Amino acid sequence: RMLSGYKPKNDIKDSYKILELEEGCSPDDVRNSYRNLAKKYHPDSSSGMADSKAFIKVEEAYRVVLNDLAAKQKSEPGEEEEEQFKPKSLQHRHYLSFEGVGIGTPSQREKQYMQFRVDRATEQVLEYRQQRLESRYAGSDLSRAKDVRQSKKVKITQAVERLVEDLIQESMAKGDFDNLSGKGKPLQKFSDSPHIDPMTHNLNRILIDNGYQPEWILLQKEIRETIERLRKSVVASRKKLGEPMTLSEQKQWGRICEQLAEDIRKLNKRVDDFNLVVPILSRQMVHFSTDKEILRARRTYEAVVEKVSDSDTKENEGEKGKRLGWKSSLLKWLKL
């Protein structure tokens, strides 16, 4: 605008009013007022009062006031040089300076500033971690003593190993190992099957000899023992209630069934864990059903009751036969 001879439309009084100044103010006051208004009305600012038209008016008023001050300075001799009051190119983006980081266009400077912030944050994190470690180990004498003890333990272990190795080498030099049974014979360390890796076979043999069992075997055993225990407890509880059940006994049976449902729900979680680790798909297990287990318990109870009743019937018949046996023998004797 300065090179094209642009002339603002505002007069001097209106320009002072727009800049919220009075005539006779200093150039510094004009610049400070312009900065504050630019921050408020500039379209690129994050202010809620951003307005491009208002910013244009502020810019024009700023130019008018500067020209007016420059003219007054020329008419008053003995003041500063007039170059101080020459119109200068406005740097209305000075408040978006990105802390003075970067060069180039605003977008390029913004990218450079973002990278600068990332680097600075990284340095701050590293400094924080360093200070935290220093504060942790500076005042902890216990940790230092523990490290010293651990280092001494390692040194002792290594010394013992070297001592044992030296003794073995000394014994071999004396010929103490020459009279061992099986000297010169091959070691029986390979399996008969050529399809099995010898190392895997030896590791499995060592584990089996020491009583090791895979996790899925232990889980399977635990699940079977748990379901058997639950079944026995339910049948025993049903026997205690008897037949027929009263109203209170029916309520107690309902609580027993609810507890059984909760136990089976927990057991089904163990079944899920087992199915995840079992190596053979055909060995996977299905979930247990609460209704089926309750029906199973009822049938088991009914079978036990029938068995008891049959044994009681047989005992009664045997006693009745014993009572009638002496009468039949008396009749036979009388006939004879």
Side-chain angles (χ1 to χ4, degrees):
R1 293 176 181 175
M2 292 175 64
L3 296 175
S4 61
Y6 171 79
K7 295 182 180 180
K9 299 179 180 179
N10 297 333
D11 56 4
I12 297 175
K13 293 183 179 180
D14 293 338
S15 299
Y16 278 104
K17 289 181 181 179
I18 292 173
L19 294 177
E20 300 176 357
L21 297 172
E22 297 180 356
E23 295 185 6
C25 60
S26 64
D28 293 335
D29 295 335
V30 176
R31 295 190 185 94
N32 293 332
S33 178
Y34 171 72
R35 291 193 188 99
N36 296 330
L37 295 175
K39 292 179 181 180
K40 185 186 297 185
Y41 296 115
H42 197 280
D44 295 339
S45 66
S46 59
S47 174
M49 302 177 64
D51 187 0
S52 59
K53 295 181 179 179
F55 177 74
I56 292 173
K57 291 182 180 179
V58 170
E59 186 179 1
E60 292 178 351
Y62 177 65
R63 293 178 182 280
V64 171
V65 172
L66 285 181
N67 292 330
D68 181 62
L69 290 177
K72 290 181 180 180
Q73 187 66 24
K74 288 180 180 180
S75 61
E76 295 178 2
E79 298 292 335
E80 297 178 356
E81 299 178 357
E82 61 179 275
E83 292 181 357
Q84 297 179 357
F85 303 98
K86 287 185 178 180
K88 299 180 180 179
S89 59
L90 297 178
Q91 300 294 331
H92 53 269
R93 291 180 180 268
H94 67 280
Y95 57 92
L96 298 176
S97 59
F98 303 113
E99 300 182 16
V101 176
I103 57 174
T105 61
S107 60
Q108 294 175 350
R109 293 183 63 191
E110 184 178 4
K111 292 180 181 179
Q112 297 170 11
Y113 179 65
M114 293 299 293
Q115 184 62 38
F116 168 75
R117 291 184 61 186
V118 171
D119 297 338
R120 184 172 59 183
T122 305
E123 292 177 358
Q124 291 176 355
V125 170
L126 293 176
E127 290 178 359
Y128 171 75
R129 290 181 177 177
Q130 183 179 0
Q131 293 175 1
R132 188 175 179 182
L133 290 174
E134 290 177 355
S135 62
R136 178 184 298 177
Y137 291 103
S140 66
D141 296 335
L142 295 177
S143 61
R144 291 181 179 178
K146 184 177 180 181
D147 294 338
V148 171
R149 289 195 299 269
Q150 188 68 21
S151 62
K152 289 182 179 179
K153 184 177 179 181
V154 172
K155 290 180 180 178
I156 293 171
T157 304
Q158 294 176 354
V160 172
E161 290 177 355
R162 288 196 299 270
L163 178 61
V164 172
E165 186 65 25
D166 293 340
L167 292 175
I168 292 173
Q169 295 294 334
E170 184 179 355
S171 299
M172 290 175 64
K174 291 179 180 180
D176 295 338
F177 296 104
D178 295 339
N179 298 326
L180 295 177
S181 61
K183 180 182 178 181
K185 298 180 182 179
L187 296 175
Q188 300 294 331
K189 61 178 181 178
F190 299 107
S191 61
D192 298 332
S193 177
H195 304 289
I196 300 177
D197 181 27
M199 182 61 70
T200 304
H201 173 74
N202 291 333
L203 290 175
N204 291 334
R205 180 173 55 80
I206 293 171
L207 292 173
I208 292 171
D209 292 342
N210 289 274
Y212 172 78
Q213 292 181 351
E215 182 181 3
W216 66 276
I217 294 291
L218 298 176
L219 278 174
Q220 187 180 32
K221 183 179 179 181
E222 179 185 353
I223 291 169
R224 289 178 177 175
E225 291 178 353
T226 303
I227 192 63
E228 289 297 328
R229 178 175 54 81
L230 292 176
R231 289 170 178 172
K232 290 180 180 180
S233 64
V234 171
V235 174
S237 301
R238 184 66 184 86
K239 287 181 181 178
K240 291 180 181 179
L241 297 176
E243 187 68 28
M245 292 187 295
T246 61
L247 183 60
S248 61
E249 291 176 345
Q250 291 178 359
K251 291 181 180 180
Q252 186 176 358
W253 174 248
R255 290 193 294 270
I256 292 171
C257 294
E258 291 177 358
Q259 183 62 35
L260 177 64
E262 180 65 20
D263 294 337
I264 288 178
R265 185 182 64 82
K266 295 179 181 178
L267 184 61
N268 287 333
K269 289 185 178 180
R270 302 294 294 169
V271 172
D272 293 336
D273 296 338
F274 169 77
N275 292 335
L276 290 175
V277 298
V278 65
I280 306 173
L281 292 177
S282 60
R283 292 293 185 91
Q284 289 189 343
M285 303 175 67
V286 297
H287 284 186
F288 296 97
S289 174
T290 306
D291 298 335
K292 290 183 180 180
E293 295 300 328
I294 293 173
L295 182 61
R296 181 191 182 98
R298 288 179 178 175
R299 290 179 179 175
T300 305
Y301 169 73
E302 292 174 356
V304 171
V305 171
E306 290 179 359
K307 185 177 180 180
V308 172
S309 61
D310 292 341
S311 62
D312 293 341
T313 304
K314 289 181 180 180
E315 289 179 0
N316 293 332
E317 290 178 354
E319 292 178 357
K320 186 176 180 181
K322 290 180 181 179
R323 288 196 300 270
L324 297 177
W326 67 273
K327 293 182 180 180
S328 60
S329 60
L330 180 61
L331 290 173
K332 290 180 182 179
W333 181 75
L334 290 173
K335 288 180 181 179
L336 292 174

